[in-house]
Amino acid sequence: MRIGEITRLTGVSKDTVRFYERQGLLDEAPQPGLTNNYKEYSAQALRRIELIGHAKALGFTLKEIADVIAVWQENALDAQTKRVMLETKIAQIDDKARSMAVLRAGLVDALAKVETGCDDVAPVHIYKDKYQDNQ
């Protein structure tokens, strides 16, 4: 499939697809025709772009995503080494999920205190005053 179809199916721009390719997140798409510059992207490229988008939406950096892709593609690594590296990344994801749960609980608590008028929330009046001064 050509880049236009990839962008239509994934919702990313052509520039993003090209950027991912330059960064090594996608295999370089072949150009089967000698008379044009059209590249043919595979179904794997489509799945990879979807994976990248999903991981980015969850807060992962392109570097972190590239690390996982590299482990998966590295033919020089045996299955056990790949397993250990992927398990390490899963443990990091689990740690991040726990940290996000703690942050979420704190925000929910702060929201409840705002709703009840409790004064031990962060110094909101400072921000309120600054906001009103800028109006």
Side-chain angles (χ1 to χ4, degrees), residues 23-38:
Q23 297 301 308
L25 296 167
L26 298 176
D27 294 334
E28 190 170 329
Q31 292 178 277
L34 298 176
T35 60
N36 62 40
N37 290 329
Y38 297 132

Side-chain angles (χ1 to χ4, degrees), residues 72-135:
W72 187 254
Q73 289 184 320
E74 183 59 57
N75 291 328
L77 299 176
D78 62 34
Q80 180 60 29
T81 303
K82 284 183 179 183
R83 177 183 312 288
V84 168
M85 294 174 84
L86 291 170
E87 287 172 345
T88 299
K89 183 51 78 179
I90 290 169
Q92 291 170 352
I93 291 169
D94 290 343
D95 288 344
K96 193 173 198 175
R98 281 189 289 278
S99 295
M100 291 180 83
V102 169
L103 175 61
R104 184 186 188 287
L107 292 171
V108 168
D109 184 53
L111 179 61
K113 290 175 181 174
V114 167
E115 298 286 328
T116 61
C118 182
D119 288 335
D120 74 339
V121 178
V124 175
H125 66 279
I126 295 171
Y127 301 110
K128 183 177 166 188
D129 293 343
K130 284 184 180 181
Y131 177 74
Q132 288 174 344
D133 290 344
N134 291 331
Q135 298 235 335

